[in-house]
Amino acid sequence: MISVVLADDQALVRAGFRALLDAEPDIRVVGEAADGLQAVTLVRATRPDVVLMDIRMPGVDGLEATRRIAADPVCAETRVVILTTFELDEYVFEALRTGASGFLVKDTEPVELLRGVRAVAAGDALLSPSVTRRVIGEFAGAGAGRRPEPPRALDQLTDREREVMALVAEGLSNDEIAVRLVISPATAKTHVSRTMIKLGARDRAQLVVYAYEAGLIRPGWLA
């Protein structure tokens, strides 16, 4: 059973998501929050698998709430999916940097929302390669003044791990990475896991951001 917390300041939006999610046999909504502070408190209390987090909420917004959840050891197993009205939203990029596992546009199709919740709960990043390129290309590549330094631990990566990290940033799965590098899927998974551990990344979403910030891959390189 996948447990979910809904965080949105609009009651109708929460009601719609709850009705959709609770209708599924393998998903259960364990709580709702109307602002970021409530969301953090609720997540700490319930430790859900997934949080659907609106960015723009009164008081503590979704960005700060995501940062607090990602930094809290109690919430280490919880994954945050950002809900946004626009694909090209500068706060989405910052949320990915601070620990969100992906994002969904609020008017996404119900089947895509359900698929996304299940994917994130399974440990995958919810990042469409095409949308990710636009978001990160727009905001990570907007100039040095807006780009923080990549993690210093990047120097600890082997050449193979850097290569794997760049392929993750292209949106490739472990199986696809294995085919590209002519290695086994298990080996690809090991490389991804070791890279995440060395960089202190919560999941593949942060690897994508780090890869762009480190210059391992740039938006213009991808079709």
Side-chain angles (χ1 to χ4, degrees), residues 90 93-94 97 138-148 213:
E90 62 181 311
F93 174 65
E94 184 61 23
R97 286 196 67 253
E138 178 76 13
F139 299 107
R146 295 181 63 174
R147 291 178 59 188
E213 290 180 344

Side-chain angles (χ1 to χ4, degrees), residues 53 55-56 62-64 66-67 80-84 86-104 126-127 131-151 169 203-215 217 219:
M53 180 82 74
I55 287 183
R56 292 170 176 81
L63 185 61
E64 176 59 25
T66 298
R67 182 180 291 110
V80 178
V81 174
I82 294 297
L83 298 173
T84 180
F86 308 103
E87 289 180 350
L88 286 179
D89 187 330
E90 62 181 311
Y91 296 110
V92 167
F93 174 65
E94 184 61 23
L96 294 176
R97 286 196 67 253
T98 57
S101 295
F103 63 92
L104 284 169
L126 187 55
L127 298 171
V131 175
T132 301
R133 286 197 294 270
R134 294 203 301 273
V135 171
I136 296 181
E138 178 76 13
F139 299 107
R146 295 181 63 174
R147 291 178 59 188
E149 289 296 319
D203 56 26
R204 297 170 78 97
Q206 283 197 305
L207 283 188
V208 173
V209 175
Y210 292 162
Y212 277 95
E213 290 180 344
I217 190 167

Side-chain angles (χ1 to χ4, degrees), residues 1-2 4 6 11-29 32 52 83 104-118:
M1 183 68 68
I2 300 170
V4 178
L6 304 175
L12 285 177
V13 172
R14 298 198 308 272
F17 281 136
R18 177 183 276 275
L20 175 65
L21 296 170
D22 278 345
E24 297 299 303
D26 60 331
I27 302 175
R28 179 170 58 97
V29 175
E32 299 181 21
L52 296 181
L83 298 173
L104 284 169
V105 180
K106 283 189 176 182
D107 62 359
T108 190
E109 293 295 324
V111 65
E112 292 300 323
L113 173 66
L114 295 172
R115 182 181 294 120
V117 168
R118 292 186 176 107

